[in-house]
Short mmCIF file of all heavy atoms in Angstrom, two decimals:
data_model
loop_
_atom_site.label_atom_id
_atom_site.label_comp_id
_atom_site.label_asym_id
_atom_site.label_seq_id
_atom_site.Cartn_x
_atom_site.Cartn_y
_atom_site.Cartn_z
N VAL J 282 36.43 7.44 -4.03
CA VAL J 282 36.93 6.09 -4.30
C VAL J 282 36.42 5.64 -5.67
O VAL J 282 35.44 6.19 -6.17
CB VAL J 282 36.44 5.09 -3.23
CG1 VAL J 282 37.00 5.43 -1.86
CG2 VAL J 282 34.91 5.06 -3.18
N LYS J 283 37.08 4.65 -6.23
CA LYS J 283 36.57 4.13 -7.51
C LYS J 283 35.71 2.90 -7.22
O LYS J 283 36.10 2.01 -6.47
CB LYS J 283 37.74 3.76 -8.43
CG LYS J 283 37.27 3.34 -9.81
CD LYS J 283 38.46 3.20 -10.75
CE LYS J 283 38.04 2.60 -12.09
NZ LYS J 283 37.09 3.42 -12.83
N TYR J 284 34.53 2.91 -7.81
CA TYR J 284 33.60 1.78 -7.62
C TYR J 284 33.86 0.70 -8.68
O TYR J 284 33.99 1.02 -9.86
CB TYR J 284 32.16 2.27 -7.80
CG TYR J 284 31.42 2.63 -6.53
CD1 TYR J 284 31.82 3.70 -5.73
CD2 TYR J 284 30.29 1.91 -6.14
CE1 TYR J 284 31.11 4.04 -4.59
CE2 TYR J 284 29.58 2.25 -5.00
CZ TYR J 284 30.00 3.31 -4.23
OH TYR J 284 29.29 3.64 -3.10
N HIS J 285 33.90 -0.52 -8.22
CA HIS J 285 33.94 -1.66 -9.14
C HIS J 285 32.76 -2.56 -8.79
O HIS J 285 32.69 -3.07 -7.67
CB HIS J 285 35.24 -2.46 -8.97
CG HIS J 285 36.47 -1.66 -9.24
ND1 HIS J 285 37.10 -1.60 -10.46
CD2 HIS J 285 37.21 -0.86 -8.41
CE1 HIS J 285 38.15 -0.81 -10.39
NE2 HIS J 285 38.24 -0.34 -9.15
N LEU J 286 31.87 -2.72 -9.73
CA LEU J 286 30.72 -3.61 -9.50
C LEU J 286 30.95 -4.88 -10.31
O LEU J 286 31.33 -4.82 -11.47
CB LEU J 286 29.41 -2.96 -9.96
CG LEU J 286 29.08 -1.57 -9.38
CD1 LEU J 286 27.74 -1.08 -9.94
CD2 LEU J 286 29.01 -1.62 -7.87
N ARG J 287 30.69 -6.01 -9.68
CA ARG J 287 30.86 -7.28 -10.39
C ARG J 287 29.62 -8.13 -10.16
O ARG J 287 29.30 -8.50 -9.03
CB ARG J 287 32.10 -7.99 -9.85
CG ARG J 287 32.50 -9.24 -10.63
CD ARG J 287 33.82 -9.78 -10.11
NE ARG J 287 34.94 -8.90 -10.47
CZ ARG J 287 35.73 -9.07 -11.52
NH1 ARG J 287 35.57 -10.12 -12.30
NH2 ARG J 287 36.72 -8.23 -11.78
N TYR J 288 28.90 -8.40 -11.24
CA TYR J 288 27.70 -9.23 -11.15
C TYR J 288 28.09 -10.67 -11.49
O TYR J 288 28.64 -10.92 -12.56
CB TYR J 288 26.64 -8.75 -12.16
CG TYR J 288 26.29 -7.27 -12.01
CD1 TYR J 288 27.00 -6.30 -12.73
CD2 TYR J 288 25.26 -6.87 -11.18
CE1 TYR J 288 26.68 -4.96 -12.60
CE2 TYR J 288 24.94 -5.51 -11.05
CZ TYR J 288 25.66 -4.56 -11.77
OH TYR J 288 25.35 -3.24 -11.64
N GLY J 289 27.80 -11.56 -10.57
CA GLY J 289 28.15 -12.97 -10.78
C GLY J 289 27.08 -13.71 -11.57
O GLY J 289 26.00 -13.18 -11.85
N ALA J 290 27.41 -14.96 -11.89
CA ALA J 290 26.44 -15.79 -12.62
C ALA J 290 25.24 -16.06 -11.71
O ALA J 290 25.40 -16.24 -10.49
CB ALA J 290 27.10 -17.09 -13.01
N PRO J 291 24.02 -16.10 -12.28
CA PRO J 291 22.85 -16.35 -11.45
C PRO J 291 22.92 -17.71 -10.75
O PRO J 291 23.41 -18.68 -11.33
CB PRO J 291 21.69 -16.33 -12.45
CG PRO J 291 22.22 -15.69 -13.67
CD PRO J 291 23.70 -15.92 -13.69
N ILE J 292 22.47 -17.73 -9.51
CA ILE J 292 22.42 -18.99 -8.76
C ILE J 292 20.95 -19.43 -8.73
O ILE J 292 20.10 -18.72 -8.20
CB ILE J 292 22.92 -18.79 -7.31
CG1 ILE J 292 24.31 -18.14 -7.33
CG2 ILE J 292 22.94 -20.10 -6.55
CD1 ILE J 292 24.78 -17.70 -5.95
N ALA J 293 20.70 -20.59 -9.30
CA ALA J 293 19.31 -21.08 -9.36
C ALA J 293 19.03 -21.94 -8.13
O ALA J 293 18.92 -23.16 -8.21
CB ALA J 293 19.09 -21.84 -10.65
N LEU J 294 18.91 -21.29 -7.00
CA LEU J 294 18.64 -22.03 -5.76
C LEU J 294 17.34 -22.82 -5.87
O LEU J 294 17.19 -23.89 -5.31
CB LEU J 294 18.52 -21.05 -4.58
CG LEU J 294 19.81 -20.36 -4.15
CD1 LEU J 294 19.51 -19.27 -3.14
CD2 LEU J 294 20.79 -21.36 -3.57
N HIS J 295 16.40 -22.24 -6.63
CA HIS J 295 15.09 -22.89 -6.74
C HIS J 295 15.16 -24.19 -7.53
O HIS J 295 14.22 -24.96 -7.52
CB HIS J 295 14.09 -21.92 -7.38
CG HIS J 295 14.50 -21.41 -8.72
ND1 HIS J 295 15.45 -20.43 -8.87
CD2 HIS J 295 14.09 -21.74 -9.95
CE1 HIS J 295 15.59 -20.17 -10.17
NE2 HIS J 295 14.78 -20.95 -10.84
N GLU J 296 16.28 -24.42 -8.22
CA GLU J 296 16.42 -25.71 -8.90
C GLU J 296 17.07 -26.73 -7.97
O GLU J 296 17.02 -27.93 -8.21
CB GLU J 296 17.25 -25.55 -10.18
CG GLU J 296 16.46 -24.82 -11.26
CD GLU J 296 17.29 -24.50 -12.50
OE1 GLU J 296 18.46 -24.95 -12.59
OE2 GLU J 296 16.77 -23.77 -13.36
N GLN J 297 17.71 -26.24 -6.91
CA GLN J 297 18.34 -27.15 -5.95
C GLN J 297 17.40 -27.51 -4.81
O GLN J 297 17.53 -28.56 -4.20
CB GLN J 297 19.59 -26.49 -5.35
CG GLN J 297 20.65 -26.13 -6.36
CD GLN J 297 21.74 -25.26 -5.73
OE1 GLN J 297 22.13 -25.46 -4.58
NE2 GLN J 297 22.22 -24.29 -6.47
N TYR J 298 16.50 -26.62 -4.50
CA TYR J 298 15.62 -26.84 -3.35
C TYR J 298 14.16 -26.65 -3.77
O TYR J 298 13.87 -25.87 -4.67
CB TYR J 298 15.93 -25.85 -2.23
CG TYR J 298 17.35 -25.89 -1.73
CD1 TYR J 298 18.28 -24.95 -2.16
CD2 TYR J 298 17.77 -26.87 -0.84
CE1 TYR J 298 19.60 -24.98 -1.71
CE2 TYR J 298 19.08 -26.90 -0.38
CZ TYR J 298 19.99 -25.95 -0.82
OH TYR J 298 21.29 -25.99 -0.37
N SER J 299 13.27 -27.31 -3.05
CA SER J 299 11.85 -27.20 -3.36
C SER J 299 11.27 -25.93 -2.70
O SER J 299 11.86 -25.41 -1.75
CB SER J 299 11.10 -28.42 -2.83
OG SER J 299 11.10 -28.36 -1.42
N PRO J 300 10.11 -25.47 -3.18
CA PRO J 300 9.50 -24.29 -2.53
C PRO J 300 9.21 -24.55 -1.05
O PRO J 300 9.33 -23.66 -0.21
CB PRO J 300 8.20 -24.09 -3.31
CG PRO J 300 8.36 -24.80 -4.58
CD PRO J 300 9.33 -25.91 -4.35
N ALA J 301 8.86 -25.80 -0.73
CA ALA J 301 8.52 -26.12 0.66
C ALA J 301 9.73 -25.94 1.58
O ALA J 301 9.58 -25.64 2.77
CB ALA J 301 7.99 -27.55 0.74
N SER J 302 10.93 -26.10 1.01
CA SER J 302 12.11 -25.98 1.86
C SER J 302 12.37 -24.54 2.29
O SER J 302 13.25 -24.28 3.12
CB SER J 302 13.34 -26.56 1.15
OG SER J 302 13.54 -25.88 -0.06
N ALA J 303 11.59 -23.60 1.74
CA ALA J 303 11.72 -22.20 2.19
C ALA J 303 11.35 -22.06 3.65
O ALA J 303 11.64 -21.04 4.28
CB ALA J 303 10.84 -21.30 1.34
N ASP J 304 10.68 -23.08 4.21
CA ASP J 304 10.32 -23.04 5.63
C ASP J 304 11.33 -23.78 6.51
O ASP J 304 11.16 -23.84 7.72
CB ASP J 304 8.93 -23.66 5.83
CG ASP J 304 7.84 -22.80 5.23
OD1 ASP J 304 7.96 -21.56 5.32
OD2 ASP J 304 6.88 -23.35 4.66
N ASP J 305 12.34 -24.36 5.88
CA ASP J 305 13.30 -25.17 6.65
C ASP J 305 14.51 -24.32 7.01
O ASP J 305 15.30 -23.93 6.14
CB ASP J 305 13.72 -26.37 5.78
CG ASP J 305 14.65 -27.32 6.52
OD1 ASP J 305 15.30 -26.88 7.49
OD2 ASP J 305 14.72 -28.50 6.12
N PRO J 306 14.69 -24.01 8.30
CA PRO J 306 15.79 -23.11 8.69
C PRO J 306 17.16 -23.64 8.27
O PRO J 306 18.04 -22.85 7.89
CB PRO J 306 15.69 -23.05 10.22
CG PRO J 306 14.35 -23.58 10.56
CD PRO J 306 13.91 -24.46 9.45
N ALA J 307 17.35 -24.96 8.30
CA ALA J 307 18.66 -25.52 7.95
C ALA J 307 18.94 -25.30 6.46
O ALA J 307 20.06 -24.93 6.07
CB ALA J 307 18.69 -27.01 8.29
N VAL J 308 17.92 -25.49 5.64
CA VAL J 308 18.08 -25.27 4.20
C VAL J 308 18.39 -23.79 3.93
O VAL J 308 19.26 -23.45 3.13
CB VAL J 308 16.81 -25.71 3.43
CG1 VAL J 308 16.84 -25.21 2.00
CG2 VAL J 308 16.67 -27.22 3.46
N LEU J 309 17.66 -22.93 4.62
CA LEU J 309 17.87 -21.49 4.42
C LEU J 309 19.30 -21.09 4.77
O LEU J 309 19.94 -20.32 4.07
CB LEU J 309 16.87 -20.67 5.24
CG LEU J 309 15.39 -20.79 4.83
CD1 LEU J 309 14.53 -19.84 5.66
CD2 LEU J 309 15.19 -20.49 3.36
N GLN J 310 19.78 -21.63 5.88
CA GLN J 310 21.16 -21.32 6.30
C GLN J 310 22.15 -21.79 5.23
O GLN J 310 23.09 -21.08 4.88
CB GLN J 310 21.48 -22.00 7.64
CG GLN J 310 20.89 -21.32 8.87
CD GLN J 310 21.39 -19.89 9.04
OE1 GLN J 310 22.40 -19.49 8.50
NE2 GLN J 310 20.65 -19.08 9.81
N ARG J 311 21.91 -23.00 4.73
CA ARG J 311 22.81 -23.57 3.71
C ARG J 311 22.78 -22.73 2.44
O ARG J 311 23.82 -22.39 1.88
CB ARG J 311 22.36 -24.99 3.39
CG ARG J 311 23.32 -26.04 3.90
CD ARG J 311 23.16 -27.43 3.35
NE ARG J 311 21.88 -27.87 2.87
CZ ARG J 311 20.96 -28.51 3.59
NH1 ARG J 311 21.17 -28.72 4.89
NH2 ARG J 311 19.84 -28.94 3.05
N ALA J 312 21.57 -22.39 2.01
CA ALA J 312 21.43 -21.63 0.76
C ALA J 312 22.01 -20.23 0.92
O ALA J 312 22.69 -19.71 0.01
CB ALA J 312 19.96 -21.56 0.36
N ALA J 313 21.77 -19.63 2.08
CA ALA J 313 22.30 -18.27 2.32
C ALA J 313 23.83 -18.30 2.33
O ALA J 313 24.49 -17.39 1.82
CB ALA J 313 21.76 -17.72 3.62
N GLN J 314 24.37 -19.37 2.89
CA GLN J 314 25.82 -19.52 2.94
C GLN J 314 26.39 -19.61 1.52
O GLN J 314 27.43 -19.03 1.21
CB GLN J 314 26.18 -20.78 3.77
CG GLN J 314 27.66 -20.99 4.00
CD GLN J 314 28.33 -19.83 4.76
OE1 GLN J 314 27.67 -19.13 5.56
NE2 GLN J 314 29.62 -19.60 4.51
N GLN J 315 25.66 -20.33 0.67
CA GLN J 315 26.06 -20.47 -0.73
C GLN J 315 26.12 -19.10 -1.42
O GLN J 315 27.08 -18.79 -2.12
CB GLN J 315 25.01 -21.36 -1.42
CG GLN J 315 25.43 -21.95 -2.73
CD GLN J 315 24.33 -22.87 -3.30
OE1 GLN J 315 23.53 -23.45 -2.54
NE2 GLN J 315 24.28 -23.00 -4.61
N VAL J 316 25.11 -18.27 -1.16
CA VAL J 316 25.08 -16.93 -1.76
C VAL J 316 26.20 -16.07 -1.18
O VAL J 316 26.91 -15.35 -1.89
CB VAL J 316 23.70 -16.26 -1.54
CG1 VAL J 316 23.69 -14.84 -2.10
CG2 VAL J 316 22.59 -17.08 -2.17
N LYS J 317 26.37 -16.19 0.14
CA LYS J 317 27.41 -15.40 0.81
C LYS J 317 28.79 -15.74 0.24
O LYS J 317 29.60 -14.84 -0.04
CB LYS J 317 27.36 -15.69 2.32
CG LYS J 317 28.30 -14.86 3.15
CD LYS J 317 28.17 -15.19 4.63
CE LYS J 317 29.12 -14.38 5.46
NZ LYS J 317 29.04 -14.70 6.89
N GLU J 318 29.01 -17.02 0.04
CA GLU J 318 30.31 -17.43 -0.51
C GLU J 318 30.50 -16.91 -1.94
O GLU J 318 31.61 -16.53 -2.33
CB GLU J 318 30.45 -18.96 -0.47
CG GLU J 318 30.78 -19.45 0.93
CD GLU J 318 30.62 -20.96 1.10
OE1 GLU J 318 30.43 -21.66 0.08
OE2 GLU J 318 30.67 -21.42 2.25
N ALA J 319 29.40 -16.88 -2.69
CA ALA J 319 29.49 -16.37 -4.07
C ALA J 319 29.86 -14.89 -4.05
O ALA J 319 30.72 -14.44 -4.82
CB ALA J 319 28.17 -16.59 -4.79
N VAL J 320 29.23 -14.12 -3.15
CA VAL J 320 29.53 -12.69 -3.06
C VAL J 320 30.97 -12.51 -2.58
O VAL J 320 31.73 -11.69 -3.14
CB VAL J 320 28.54 -11.97 -2.11
CG1 VAL J 320 28.96 -10.52 -1.87
CG2 VAL J 320 27.12 -12.03 -2.66
N ALA J 321 31.38 -13.31 -1.58
CA ALA J 321 32.75 -13.19 -1.04
C ALA J 321 33.77 -13.49 -2.13
O ALA J 321 34.80 -12.80 -2.25
CB ALA J 321 32.92 -14.16 0.13
N SER J 322 33.47 -14.50 -2.95
CA SER J 322 34.45 -14.85 -3.98
C SER J 322 34.53 -13.77 -5.06
O SER J 322 35.61 -13.46 -5.56
CB SER J 322 34.10 -16.24 -4.51
OG SER J 322 33.92 -16.26 -5.85
N LEU J 323 33.39 -13.14 -5.39
CA LEU J 323 33.42 -12.02 -6.34
C LEU J 323 34.20 -10.84 -5.75
O LEU J 323 34.93 -10.14 -6.47
CB LEU J 323 32.00 -11.57 -6.67
CG LEU J 323 31.15 -12.51 -7.54
CD1 LEU J 323 29.69 -12.04 -7.56
CD2 LEU J 323 31.69 -12.57 -8.96
N LEU J 324 34.05 -10.65 -4.43
CA LEU J 324 34.78 -9.56 -3.77
C LEU J 324 36.28 -9.78 -3.86
O LEU J 324 37.05 -8.87 -4.19
CB LEU J 324 34.37 -9.49 -2.29
CG LEU J 324 33.12 -8.68 -1.94
CD1 LEU J 324 32.79 -8.83 -0.47
CD2 LEU J 324 33.30 -7.20 -2.29
N VAL J 325 36.70 -11.03 -3.59
CA VAL J 325 38.14 -11.36 -3.64
C VAL J 325 38.67 -11.08 -5.04
O VAL J 325 39.73 -10.47 -5.23
CB VAL J 325 38.36 -12.84 -3.23
CG1 VAL J 325 39.79 -13.28 -3.52
CG2 VAL J 325 38.02 -13.02 -1.76
N GLU J 326 37.88 -11.52 -6.04
CA GLU J 326 38.29 -11.33 -7.43
C GLU J 326 38.45 -9.84 -7.76
O GLU J 326 39.47 -9.42 -8.32
CB GLU J 326 37.19 -11.93 -8.31
CG GLU J 326 37.66 -12.51 -9.62
CD GLU J 326 36.49 -13.16 -10.37
OE1 GLU J 326 35.58 -13.73 -9.72
OE2 GLU J 326 36.49 -13.04 -11.60
N SER J 327 37.45 -9.05 -7.38
CA SER J 327 37.49 -7.61 -7.67
C SER J 327 38.63 -6.93 -6.94
O SER J 327 39.34 -6.09 -7.51
CB SER J 327 36.18 -6.95 -7.26
OG SER J 327 35.19 -7.25 -8.18
N LEU J 328 38.79 -7.27 -5.66
CA LEU J 328 39.83 -6.62 -4.85
C LEU J 328 41.22 -6.96 -5.39
O LEU J 328 42.12 -6.12 -5.39
CB LEU J 328 39.70 -7.05 -3.39
CG LEU J 328 38.52 -6.43 -2.62
CD1 LEU J 328 38.29 -7.14 -1.29
CD2 LEU J 328 38.76 -4.94 -2.38
N SER J 329 41.37 -8.19 -5.86
CA SER J 329 42.69 -8.58 -6.35
C SER J 329 43.03 -7.89 -7.68
O SER J 329 44.18 -7.73 -8.02
CB SER J 329 42.77 -10.10 -6.51
OG SER J 329 41.87 -10.49 -7.52
#
Side-chain angles (χ1 to χ4, degrees):
Chain J
V282 296
K283 185 171 172 62
Y284 264 65
H285 300 267
L286 306 180
R287 188 173 290 264
Y288 306 90
I292 307 170
L294 291 171
H295 57 283
E296 288 174 7
Q297 299 170 39
Y298 302 100
S299 69
S302 58
D304 291 323
D305 183 337
V308 167
L309 294 185
Q310 283 299 341
R311 250 195 333 268
Q314 185 60 28
Q315 197 177 333
V316 177
K317 185 179 179 182
E318 282 167 10
V320 173
S322 124
L323 289 169
L324 275 174
V325 170
E326 211 177 325
S327 284
L328 286 167
S329 65

